[in-house]
Amino acid sequence: MRESMIERHEVEAFLTLAEELHFGRTAAKLHVSTARVSQTIRKLERRVGIPLFHRTSRHVSLTTGNCTTSSSPPGTA
């Protein structure tokens, strides 16, 4: 069951990248390599089953997949 738990460093990487929208600045802030940030985000995306960021060679942005469109809990709408 441990495999389904999100780890603290994954949350930190996600929140920092969401704030910075730049892998290099995120890596510097977290004192890790850009490759490590990328690996952590990809692992987190596999774990939650959706892409969290849209990436190009020059731009990073949050996807709409990580936003909910309903305030109702699942199964109550």
Side-chain angles (χ1 to χ4, degrees), residues 53 65 74 77:
F53 294 93

Side-chain angles (χ1 to χ4, degrees), residues 27-55:
K29 214 172 208 187
L30 297 176
H31 307 288
V32 298
S33 69
T34 55
R36 183 66 174 157
V37 173
S38 182
Q39 290 168 356
T40 300
I41 295 300
R42 290 217 184 272
K43 179 180 172 186
L44 181 58
E45 289 174 326
R46 280 192 308 272
R47 189 172 297 199
V48 298
I50 60 170
L52 300 172
F53 294 93
H54 174 71
R55 306 158 177 85

Side-chain angles (χ1 to χ4, degrees), residues 54-69:
H54 174 71
R55 306 158 177 85
T56 68
S57 60
R58 310 280 299 158
H59 185 73
V60 178
S61 61
L62 285 165
T63 64
T64 56
N66 52 20
C67 299
T68 58
T69 57

